[in-house]
Amino acid sequence: MTQKLTIIRPDDWHVHLRDGDMLKAIVGYTARQFARAIVMPNLTVPVTTTAIAQNYRNRILAAVPEDLKLEPLMTCYLTDRTDAGDIRRGFDDGIYTAGKFYPANVTTNSAHGVADIRNIYSALDSMQDIGMPLLVHGEVTDAGIDIFDREAMFIECILKRVIADFPDLKIVFEHITTRDAADFIMESGPNIAATITPHHLEFNRNTIFQGGIRPHYYCLPIAKREIHRLVLRQAATSGSSKFFLGTDSAPHTVGAKESSCGCAGLFNASCALQSYLKTFEEEGALDRFEAFASLNGPKFYNLPVNKEKITLEKSGDTIPNTIPVSDTYIVPFHAGETLAWKLDTSINV
Ligand code: NCD
Ligand code: ZN
């Protein structure tokens, strides 16, 4: 049985690093595991211009603990008023790596999102032209659509149209949660890919209601039926280069989660690789983990593969019960549990 795994250092292709005290409290967890991170732009004041992105990038770099490093890859929050010229300059100058499409009000801090996809068509035109990937939060927002159907509906109502209108646009369907999305990705051309989170591989919607309501398992897109989880596990471990790692680690303080109207999002940066490896081992696919974690993402984004390596070993890793943030704390994914795999931080090959 494999006890040790040395792989090229992975990247996280979807993470929420937040800002201020929260950023300072959590960024080290991402830097410990990953070389680069695609940073989500949904701050309270969203990252909608290159100037905002540059300043945010500097705050992230300043918050990374001295003994660690992380390369933040910045994304632009697309809005009804996005300036296609700013997008183009931001990408050409290396400030932006991708543009993020949140349908308006779909999730945390998305009130500034796009009301109608046609409002960002000139931005999409530029992005297609310069090869800048579009990252999509793939859920429709119509309150009349069942929350468990919103991802599948997004494919029919929006994604197919965008692909038809911009056939050469690179698109990442983020944090997919359904068989519909996994099948759609497999059937699409090479410029359409998807990220899969560690948590959607581990639990289904029953977990959210096991013995009561468990707010720390609530995230968006919400976990679906077991059949969807099983298909996601197949997709992630299939060896297909269309699927890659994106944690969607999205911290909220305990008060914001354990509330009569709790926020969506779970913090998994303290156990992301451990959690993914649990799934890959259970699926007998440890030999395919490096491609999912470290090769498929850079290939899609046209970026070099990292030079550094990391080692994980099966020595057991107890995840903390809480992660302190100023005078409060976060309850992380797998809080207080011991996972089999552990990142060996003493070895950097
Ligand atoms: C994210 C957040 O809290 O910013 N929440 C989540 O449940 N994933 C937003 C998002 O990615 O939807
Ligand atoms: Zn997210």
Side-chain angles (χ1 to χ4, degrees):
M1 205 167 49
T2 313
Q3 296 294 325
K4 233 179 195 187
L5 195 65
T6 296
I7 58 168
I8 292 166
R9 183 176 282 279
D11 303 299
D12 186 349
W13 298 99
H14 180 131
V15 67
H16 299 265
L17 294 180
R18 311 299 195 209
D19 211 345
D21 289 345
M22 179 68 98
L23 166 66
K24 291 186 188 113
I26 57 130
V27 69
Y29 291 94
T30 295
R32 208 156 281 136
Q33 302 211 331
F34 302 106
R36 293 170 289 198
I38 283 275
V39 181
M40 287 298 117
N42 64 330
L43 302 182
T44 320
V45 176
V47 181
T48 50
T49 65
T50 45
I52 300 175
Q54 241 171 333
N55 287 333
Y56 182 33
R57 187 172 184 277
N58 291 338
R59 294 199 297 281
I60 295 168
L61 290 172
V64 174
E66 261 173 34
D67 56 328
L68 298 171
K69 42 179 207 269
L70 179 71
E71 187 183 347
L73 303 177
M74 307 310 289
T75 60
C76 171
Y77 186 119
L78 300 171
T79 75
D80 291 343
R81 286 168 301 283
T82 295
D83 171 9
D86 184 61
I87 291 262
R88 196 180 272 270
R89 279 189 302 277
F91 186 71
D92 287 346
D93 294 349
I95 298 160
Y96 288 142
T97 299
K100 175 77 191 225
F101 163 45
Y102 289 103
N105 301 314
V106 73
T107 186
T108 310
N109 292 339
S110 58
H112 303 270
V114 176
D116 183 323
I117 185 77
R118 278 169 301 198
N119 296 343
I120 57 167
Y121 264 30
S122 67
L124 297 187
D125 208 32
S126 295
M127 289 166 68
Q128 173 172 256
D129 202 37
I130 57 184
M132 176 174 172
L134 174 71
L135 316 182
V136 297
H137 183 115
E139 291 190 286
V140 294
T141 51
D142 185 340
I145 306 293
D146 192 280
I147 188 168
F148 296 100
D149 297 334
R150 288 179 189 172
E151 185 173 286
M153 198 64 95
F154 179 85
I155 300 170
E156 293 308 317
C157 300
I158 301 177
L159 191 54
K160 283 186 178 174
R161 204 164 101 205
V162 175
I163 293 171
D165 290 342
F166 300 95
D168 295 325
L169 181 63
K170 284 187 170 189
I171 299 176
V172 184
F173 195 164
E174 306 225 82
H175 41 51
I176 60 166
T177 59
T178 56
R179 172 170 54 183
D180 312 66
D183 289 350
F184 183 77
I185 295 296
M186 284 307 284
E187 290 157 14
S188 307
N191 52 327
I192 318 290
T195 55
I196 306 182
T197 75
H199 43 282
H200 288 113
L201 296 169
E202 278 209 57
F203 65 84
N204 65 28
R205 66 188 193 179
N206 285 341
T207 308
I208 309 168
F209 305 104
Q210 205 170 11
I213 188 150
R214 294 174 177 262
H216 297 291
Y217 292 99
Y218 173 56
C219 65
L220 287 172
I222 197 162
K224 308 295 191 297
R225 283 177 183 278
E226 178 64 356
I227 178 64
H228 297 286
R229 185 181 77 97
L230 296 178
V231 171
L232 293 176
R233 287 168 72 95
Q234 274 171 23
T237 61
S238 66
S240 162
S241 63
K242 291 175 133 276
F243 301 100
F244 43 86
L245 187 159
T247 63
D248 196 17
S249 184
H252 294 277
T253 57
V254 66
K257 292 291 293 175
E258 298 178 9
S259 147
S260 60
C261 187
C263 292
L266 59 84
F267 178 73
N268 61 29
S270 48
C271 67
L273 293 176
Q274 299 91 316
S275 163
Y276 279 121
L277 276 180
K278 179 175 187 297
T279 294
F280 274 72
E281 184 167 43
E282 286 165 0
E283 296 293 326
L286 283 178
D287 57 328
R288 294 182 174 170
F289 186 60
E290 186 178 47
F292 177 80
S294 316
L295 304 177
N296 298 348
K299 187 172 164 217
F300 185 84
Y301 276 85
N302 234 342
L303 291 170
V305 166
N306 295 317
K307 292 203 172 66
E308 215 180 57
K309 295 201 169 180
I310 57 161
T311 295
L312 293 123
E313 57 188 17
K314 249 183 129 177
S315 56
D317 193 8
T318 301
I319 309 304
N321 281 313
T322 58
I323 308 278
V325 185
S326 35
D327 58 351
T328 179
Y329 61 90
I330 301 162
V331 177
F333 185 38
H334 285 300
E337 291 173 37
T338 300
L339 297 173
W341 289 89
K342 186 178 168 75
L343 182 67
D344 186 341
T345 45
S346 66
I347 305 178
N348 269 325
V349 188

